[in-house]
């Protein structure tokens, strides 16, 4: 008989990524049917309630909740002990923290006292990111904001403050950067080279980096300026600073500007700035009538005088055997936008859908789906079981910051399905997840794998029954 255990630990704290790992460990313990270890934020309480747990009244965001569904009461002592071990291991101090070790700084300002001028990476819940970022700007440092859910008016205030100081704010909503060969946030491992990237798009930046890497072209720097930077409210404030910096770098031969569809008036102002630069700029800006990211990367290769390779395809998707809809489930917002653009404006009327699980509405109070795949996996199971589904299109993004082995959780969900599945893998051979192993696992599960996301999207559309495709898509 299944039993339930809910334990509140007032004042205990661990960050969301740590608790995600502890929850996964707990789920694998003997006698545990389901487990969730989380801070009792309102969103997490909703999640716990949805899992069938009853959180005591008065439990708050500063309390840690250990919630377990068990095969029986006999399993409880060992399960709780297992959770305690996982928590202790996850929060254990670094082994070099001896008696003579210097205590870590408690604030951004005190950290910068020790390393003045350093780039600051802010990774705290979105509502608290602005204070830390402003501290860094006041200390004269560039900032990368990895946090999601930062209000746009706060982003504007930060970037205006940075512009007054000739500083750069990278992010939010674009957790990718490469500086002097060092990746910040989600970043692929690439060789140094002649290309400088300015990206108002995280996964768009990673797609271009991965394709350039496959073509043998390295990257000098990738400055992720935030997914909203080319919107009307933000007005390209960080993009302009990033373009000027890369133009001043003699090692940068070509700048590639990557973004979701920009606001028209902002794009015009960026055009005027680009016309004043010495370094040529190749646009990879999604939008009606604009090339997709693969085509833009190919144009960059041509500018560099480098050959355009054939983009690899591995495996062959099974034919569609029913259903009428394409279901796109993505961890990359720009990749979702690119798929929708390629599918054309009739795609929505045809019932095709493209969901970005990295959007703020899905990441509020939980880790990004490139770290925690739970929500996408739940939706994947639902669409694979839906008789209206004809084809499923997925992305899988590798690199530092992402899951250590994402194919190991995606492949079992795909295996055995009647529905053809096409996956774009965004990654390089030097990424820590082992690109070849990730591809092999997906192909073994029955998926067709592309390195080009645009190529994957066109293949998924081509697999649809003829009476359900859109004219723009074929």
């Amino acid at each position: 008989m299944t039993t339930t255990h809910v334990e509140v630990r007032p004042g205990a704290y661990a960050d969301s990524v740590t608790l995600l790992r502890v929850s996964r460990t707990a789920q694998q313990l003997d006698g545990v049917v389901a487990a969730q270890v989380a801070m009792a934020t309102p969103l997490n309480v909703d999640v716990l309630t949805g899992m069938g747990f009853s959180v005591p009244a008065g439990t708050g965001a500063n309390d840690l909740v250990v919630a377990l569904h068990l095969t029986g009461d006999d399993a409880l002592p060992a399960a709780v002990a297992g959770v305690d071990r996982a928590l202790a291991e996850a929060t254990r101090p670094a082994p070099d923290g001896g008696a003579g070790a210097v205590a870590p700084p408690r604030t951004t300002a005190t950290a910068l006292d020790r390393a003045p001028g350093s780039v600051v990476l802010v990774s705290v819940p979105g509502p608290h990111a602005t204070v830390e970022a402003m501290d860094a700007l006041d200390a004269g440092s560039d900032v990368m904001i990895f946090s999601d859910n930062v209000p746009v008016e706060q982003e504007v205030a930060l970037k205006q403050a940075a512009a007054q100081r000739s500083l750069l704010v990278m992010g939010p909503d674009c957790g990718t950067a490469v500086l002097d060969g060092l990746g910040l946030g989600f970043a692929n491992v690439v060789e140094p080279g002649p290309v400088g990237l300015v990206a108002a798009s995280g996964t768009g930046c990673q797609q271009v980096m991965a394709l350039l890497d496959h073509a043998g072209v390295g990257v000098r720097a990738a400055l992720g300026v935030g997914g909203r930077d080319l919107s009307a409210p933000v007005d390209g404030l960080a993009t302009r600073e990033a373009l000027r910096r890369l133009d001043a770098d003699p090692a940068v031969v070509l700048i590639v500007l990557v973004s979701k569809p920009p606001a028209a008036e902002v794009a015009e102002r960026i055009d005027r700035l680009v016309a004043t630069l010495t370094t040529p700029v190749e646009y990879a800006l999604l939008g009606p009538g604009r090339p997709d990211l693969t085509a833009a990367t190919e144009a960059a290769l041509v500018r560099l005088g480098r050959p355009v390779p054939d983009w690899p395809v591995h495996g062959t998707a099974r034919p569609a055997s029913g259903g009428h809809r394409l279901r796109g489930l993505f961890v990359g917002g720009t990749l979702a936008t690119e798929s929708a653009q390629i599918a054309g404006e009739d795609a929505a009327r045809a019932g095709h859908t493209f969901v970005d699980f990295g959007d703020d509405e899905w990441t509020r109070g939980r880790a990004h789906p490139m770290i925690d795949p739970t929500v996408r996996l739940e939706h994947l199971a639902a669409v694979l079981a839906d008789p209206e589904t004809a084809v499923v299109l997925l992305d899988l993004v590798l690199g530092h910051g992402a899951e250590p082995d994402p194919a190991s959780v995606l492949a079992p969900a795909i295996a055995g399905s009647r529905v053809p599945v096409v996956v774009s893998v965004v990654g390089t051979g030097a990424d820590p997840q082992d690109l070849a192993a990730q591809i092999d696992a997906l192909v073994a599960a029955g998926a067709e794998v592309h390195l080009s996301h645009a190529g994957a999207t066109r293949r998924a559309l081509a697999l649809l029954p003829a009476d359900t495709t859109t004219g723009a898509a074929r």
Side-chain angles (χ1 to χ4, degrees):
M1 178 181 176
T2 301
T3 61
T4 296
H5 173 78
V6 176
E7 177 184 343
V8 178
R9 301 183 178 183
Y13 173 79
D15 64 74
S16 59
V17 175
T18 296
L19 292 175
L20 168 66
R21 292 172 180 157
V22 171
S23 295
R24 287 182 178 175
T25 300
Q27 287 166 6
Q28 296 170 0
L29 295 171
D30 289 342
V32 174
V33 177
Q36 185 77 4
V37 183
M39 301 305 296
T41 62
L43 182 64
N44 285 339
V45 170
D46 288 344
V47 171
L48 288 161
T49 303
M51 294 176 67
F53 296 111
S54 179
V55 179
T59 305
N62 293 323
D63 302 325
L64 187 145
V65 178
V66 177
L68 306 168
H69 286 310
L70 303 159
T71 54
D73 289 336
D74 292 347
L76 179 59
V80 172
V83 170
D84 290 341
R85 280 196 305 274
L87 281 167
E89 291 171 2
T91 57
R92 182 174 296 154
D96 58 349
V102 178
R106 305 287 294 178
T107 68
T108 299
T110 55
L112 287 170
D113 284 342
R114 299 181 187 178
S118 299
V119 176
V120 173
L121 173 62
V122 175
S123 181
V124 297
H128 308 290
T130 299
V131 172
E132 304 303 329
M134 192 62 81
D135 272 357
L137 294 175
D138 286 341
S141 287
D142 294 331
V143 184
M144 179 184 177
I145 303 173
F146 188 66
S147 315
D148 285 338
N149 291 292
V150 176
V152 67
E153 61 273 15
Q154 294 183 16
E155 179 181 347
V156 172
L158 284 169
K159 290 183 172 177
Q160 288 175 340
Q164 293 166 2
R165 298 162 170 81
S166 297
L167 294 172
L168 178 63
V169 172
M170 293 171 278
D173 288 326
C174 174
T176 297
V178 177
L179 305 175
D180 295 329
L182 177 66
L184 299 179
F186 297 124
N188 299 100
V189 180
V190 294
E191 292 292 324
V195 175
L197 288 161
V198 178
S201 154
T203 49
C205 179
Q206 291 187 264
Q207 167 75 120
V208 173
M209 280 199 296
L211 294 177
L212 288 172
D213 179 83
H214 182 73
V217 174
V219 170
R220 167 69 172 172
L223 307 178
V225 292
R228 299 179 298 213
D229 197 72
L230 293 182
S231 67
V234 187
D235 196 23
L237 284 165
T239 296
R240 287 182 244 169
E241 176 65 20
L243 286 169
R244 284 190 285 263
R245 290 191 181 199
L246 293 180
D247 186 47
D249 185 342
V252 175
V253 175
L254 177 68
I255 299 171
V256 179
L257 175 57
V258 187
S259 176
K260 298 174 191 175
E265 65 275 23
V266 179
E268 290 175 4
R269 280 193 280 277
I270 295 298
D271 282 343
R272 289 196 288 273
L273 171 62
V274 165
T276 69
L277 302 180
T278 302
T279 310
V281 177
E282 184 68 42
Y283 289 123
L285 306 177
L286 295 179
R290 295 181 183 273
D292 58 56
L293 297 178
T294 300
T297 304
E298 292 171 349
L301 291 170
V302 170
R303 277 207 184 203
L304 292 166
R306 303 294 291 266
V308 176
D310 293 329
W311 308 114
V313 178
H314 303 270
T316 303
R318 60 182 65 87
S321 59
H324 302 278
R325 312 291 183 236
L326 171 62
R327 302 304 187 200
L329 308 178
F330 305 98
V331 300
T334 303
L335 302 181
T337 299
E338 182 180 51
S339 288
Q341 175 180 316
I342 292 170
E345 59 186 14
D346 291 335
R349 283 196 292 275
H352 308 318
T353 54
F354 306 91
V355 181
D356 167 23
F357 289 98
D359 189 81
D360 280 3
E361 70 173 302
W362 295 101
T363 60
R364 193 170 292 115
R366 66 170 72 242
H368 191 280
M370 285 164 58
I371 300 171
D372 179 3
T374 305
V375 175
R376 183 167 76 157
L377 285 173
E378 291 171 355
H379 283 73
L380 176 58
V383 300
L384 288 174
D386 184 350
E388 290 197 348
T389 301
V391 181
V392 169
L393 175 62
L394 305 169
D395 59 357
L396 186 146
V397 183
L398 308 182
H400 290 298
E403 277 189 271
D405 187 7
S408 69
V409 294
L410 202 56
I414 297 170
S417 170
R418 66 159 182 87
V419 178
V421 177
V422 181
V423 184
S424 62
V425 174
V426 177
T428 73
D431 283 333
Q433 292 89 352
D434 189 341
L435 174 65
Q438 297 295 309
I439 291 172
D440 288 348
L442 294 170
V443 170
E448 180 174 311
V449 180
H450 293 241
L451 204 63
S452 160
H453 183 71
T457 300
R458 291 191 172 89
R459 172 62 170 153
L461 290 163
L463 286 166
L464 287 168
D467 62 337
T468 62
T469 54
T470 64
R474 300 304 293 269

